[in-house]
């Protein structure tokens, strides 16, 4: 597929993580918006991968409330249990087979790829009445080449989680600068404690976010993609992690391996960078251990970014090819994505601007009475620009594979960004897109 300049530029812009956090508030299900596109009862299917864990308001419960209030627009929710990459493959297969759901959760980094593969349905006119309900930056993430393919749901700024009680025992504070981070990490490691983690399986999202906070990797210049994943920011990130690994001052447990949770439960890992959506997941990992001791802080100027942080995740809900009732689907989706209390319970930092997100009581209890959502709002205001390319998932895979070698001591951290460069160029060429030399 060949993209013209306007489409490529829009795709680049669609990945930019310049988002302003605002809460979301539930508008009545019968609120205005686009008129329904057909008379009579319609059915819509929505597939998602939200946590739906105990203590959260489940997607099924939210949808059930909608269905009771909207008998003519009935929605069926489907929870997908696999990895995000598996869902993307499933959607592509289902669209080709003609049996895809109507709506699907998709990460902002995945949307350009889905667009390029012809999986998405243009809902520009149907989504337009709801644009005002969302922060401009997040709405732009759902738009490519002047066409809109769904509505935004949440964001994922990177922040720092730490156990204040353990920090106090060690006589250290949250580091503000790079040298302070490394020295504090080494001091903690001498006591069998770790204030940083190197998560190989999250390298594609976390390391690109941290590195990209100081400047984008991808730009469109004269109808061609300019790729540079080995920026000054990337070099700074590689240097910090390499020093931590060489000094045995960071854990190397993969984030989604049971050993990571074990390191938290044992009180060994007492500090880690994570996306905003990690707040309830870390609580779940630790149970009652550490309750009241943990806090959330901004990532310091550890990588030469000043106050800037980067994105890790965040997603919207897209309309898929074959959808029959676009207006009804967007009406439901606007309502769903503005259910502040429900979506916050799912651990989302919401993209809507129809209200103010409040810190759930259980979060406040675990994080020592802190207004966690306010901290996330600050992080979102510090997000740097970052743009994605079609097929970024392949880049993330290459980074994760190389990061596993780094964790095992078989490679240096800088090789992760070298792998990203090669994978980025190869992926763009595989899509038939021009790459600036």
């Amino acid at each position: 597929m060949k993209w013209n300049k306007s489409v490529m530029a829009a795709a680049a812009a669609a990945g930019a993580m310049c988002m302003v956090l605002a809460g979301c508030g539930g508008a009545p299900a019968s609120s205005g918006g686009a008129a329904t596109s057909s008379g009579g009862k319609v059915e819509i299917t929505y597939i998602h991968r939200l946590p739906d864990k105990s203590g959260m308001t489940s997607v099924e419960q939210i949808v059930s409330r909608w269905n009771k209030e909207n008998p003519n627009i009935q929605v069926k929710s489907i929870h997908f249990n696999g990895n995000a990459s598996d869902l993307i493959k499933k959607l592509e297969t289902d669209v080709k087979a003609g049996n895809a759901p109507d709506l699907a959760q998709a990460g902002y980094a995945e949307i350009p790829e889905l667009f390029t593969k012809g999986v998405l349905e243009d809902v520009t006119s149907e989504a337009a009445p709801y644009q005002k309900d969302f922060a401009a930056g997040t709405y732009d993430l759902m738009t490519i080449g002047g066409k809109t393919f769904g509505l935004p749901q949440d964001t994922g700024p990177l922040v720092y989680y730490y156990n204040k009680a353990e920090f106090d025992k060690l006589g250290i504070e949250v580091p503000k600068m790079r040298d302070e981070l490394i020295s504090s990490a080494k001091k903690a490691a001498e006591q069998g404690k770790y204030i940083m983690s190197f998560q190989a399986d999250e390298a594609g999202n976390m390391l690109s976010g941290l590195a990209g906070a100081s400047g984008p990797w991808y730009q469109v210049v004269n109808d061609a993609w300019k790729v540079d994943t080995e920026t000054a920011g990337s070099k700074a990130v590689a240097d910090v992690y390499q020093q931590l690994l060489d000094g045995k001052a960071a854990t190397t447990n993969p984030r989604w391996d049971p050993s990571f949770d074990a390191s938290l439960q044992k009180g060994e890992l007492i500090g880690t960078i994570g996306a905003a959506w990690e707040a309830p997941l870390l609580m779940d990992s630790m149970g009652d251990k550490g309750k009241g001791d943990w806090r959330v802080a901004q990532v310091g100027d550890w990588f030469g970014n000043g106050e800037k942080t980067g994105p890790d995740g965040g997603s919207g809900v897209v309309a898929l090819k074959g959808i029959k009732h676009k207006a009804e689907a967007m009406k439901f989706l606007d309502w769903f994505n503005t259910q502040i209390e429900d979506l916050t319970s799912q651990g989302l930092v919401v993209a809507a601007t129809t209200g103010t997100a409040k810190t759930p009581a259980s979060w406040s209890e675990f994080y020592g009475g802190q207004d966690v959502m306010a901290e996330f709002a600050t992080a979102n205001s510090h997000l740097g620009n970052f743009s994605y390319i079609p097929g970024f998932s392949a880049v993330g895979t290459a980074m994760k594979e190389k990061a596993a070698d780094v964790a095992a001591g078989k490679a240096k951290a800088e090789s992760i960004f070298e792998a990203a460069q090669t994978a980025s160029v190869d992926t763009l060429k595989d899509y038939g897109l021009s790459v600036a030399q």
Side-chain angles (χ1 to χ4, degrees):
M1 177 181 291
K2 194 77 169 179
W3 279 8
N4 60 32
K5 181 178 180 179
S6 63
V7 175
M8 288 194 294
M17 283 290 184
C18 282
M19 295 176 277
V20 178
L21 174 67
C24 71
S30 59
S31 61
T36 57
S37 62
S38 62
K41 179 179 176 180
V42 302
E43 296 183 354
I44 296 165
T45 53
Y46 164 46
I47 190 168
H48 70 92
R49 44 187 170 83
L50 295 179
D52 269 354
K53 291 183 178 294
S54 176
M56 299 177 177
T57 302
S58 71
V59 172
E60 185 175 348
Q61 289 174 314
I62 305 172
V63 170
S64 177
R65 193 166 71 246
W66 164 272
N67 286 337
K68 288 180 181 178
E69 298 177 12
N70 295 269
N72 289 331
I73 306 175
Q74 293 293 288
V75 178
K76 177 183 178 182
S77 63
I78 303 169
H79 186 235
F80 184 78
N81 292 312
N83 296 325
S85 58
D86 294 332
L87 177 56
I88 296 304
K89 293 176 183 177
K90 171 180 169 54
L91 296 179
E92 184 180 4
T93 300
D94 288 350
V95 166
K96 289 180 179 179
N99 58 4
D102 300 297
L103 301 171
Q105 181 183 358
Y108 295 127
E110 298 158 349
I111 293 174
E113 178 178 353
L114 290 171
F115 167 77
T116 305
K117 291 181 175 180
V119 174
L120 304 183
E121 181 68 44
D122 178 6
V123 290
T124 304
S125 61
E126 293 82 8
Y130 309 112
Q131 182 172 355
K132 65 184 184 305
D133 292 344
F134 303 93
T138 59
Y139 194 87
D140 287 346
L141 291 167
M142 308 302 299
T143 302
I144 300 174
K147 296 181 179 180
T148 303
F149 298 95
L151 295 175
Q153 189 169 87
D154 72 296
T155 69
L158 288 163
V159 294
Y160 185 63
Y161 298 90
Y162 71 104
N163 187 318
K164 184 179 185 300
E166 291 292 342
F167 271 50
D168 289 346
K169 291 178 184 178
L170 293 169
I172 60 176
E173 298 180 351
V174 175
K176 291 182 170 58
M177 304 300 291
R178 179 186 313 182
D179 291 344
E180 185 182 355
L181 169 68
I182 295 170
S183 62
S184 295
K186 290 181 177 179
K187 179 179 180 179
E190 291 174 354
Q191 303 299 317
K193 305 289 184 178
Y194 299 91
I195 67 170
M196 282 287 280
S197 62
F198 179 77
Q199 305 167 24
D201 54 347
E202 274 293 302
N205 296 319
M206 184 182 295
L207 298 189
S208 65
L210 292 173
S214 63
W217 284 2
Y218 309 114
Q219 301 178 66
V220 177
V221 180
N222 297 326
D223 294 341
W225 284 96
K226 181 179 180 182
V227 178
D228 183 8
T229 70
E230 299 174 82
T231 61
S234 300
K235 290 182 171 65
V237 171
D239 177 67
V240 169
Y241 276 104
Q242 194 62 57
Q243 289 195 56
L244 292 172
L245 292 170
D246 288 345
K248 301 188 183 306
T251 63
T252 57
N253 303 309
R255 175 60 185 94
W256 308 113
D257 186 89
S259 61
F260 187 91
D261 286 359
S263 67
L264 290 167
Q265 294 163 5
K266 293 176 182 176
E268 296 172 350
L269 182 60
I270 61 172
T272 182
I273 294 175
W277 44 260
E278 282 270 30
L281 300 185
L282 290 172
M283 291 167 53
D284 186 58
S285 293
M286 286 181 274
D288 289 334
K289 295 180 179 177
K291 180 184 290 187
D293 295 337
W294 283 75
R295 303 289 188 276
V296 181
Q298 302 303 305
V299 175
D301 188 11
W302 302 340
F303 311 107
N305 293 332
E307 293 185 337
K308 293 293 184 183
T309 188
D312 181 349
S315 60
V317 180
V318 295
L320 301 178
K321 282 288 186 184
I323 183 173
K324 293 185 175 69
H325 307 289
K326 297 192 289 185
E328 292 91 340
M330 290 304 104
K331 183 176 182 179
F332 158 73
L333 188 53
D334 175 70
W335 178 88
F336 185 88
N337 282 357
T338 55
Q339 298 305 294
I340 175 172
E341 187 174 349
D342 297 332
L343 295 180
T344 299
S345 80
Q346 287 278 342
L348 301 185
V349 181
V350 295
T353 57
T354 53
T356 301
K358 298 179 181 178
T359 299
S362 60
W363 295 24
S364 181
E365 182 181 4
F366 187 88
Y367 292 101
Q370 184 180 14
D371 187 350
V372 175
M373 295 305 294
E375 198 69 31
F376 293 159
T378 299
N380 235 12
S381 70
H382 291 168
L383 275 170
N385 293 337
F386 192 77
S387 57
Y388 297 101
I389 59 170
F392 185 79
S393 59
V395 180
T397 297
M399 293 178 69
K400 288 190 289 185
E401 291 174 351
K402 185 57 67 173
D405 290 339
V406 173
K410 300 177 181 178
K412 296 296 185 181
E414 62 185 11
S415 66
I416 300 171
F417 301 102
E418 294 171 356
Q421 179 74 19
T422 299
S424 297
V425 172
D426 289 347
T427 298
L428 287 168
K429 289 182 177 179
D430 287 343
Y431 276 105
L433 304 176
S434 298
V435 179
Q437 300 299 320

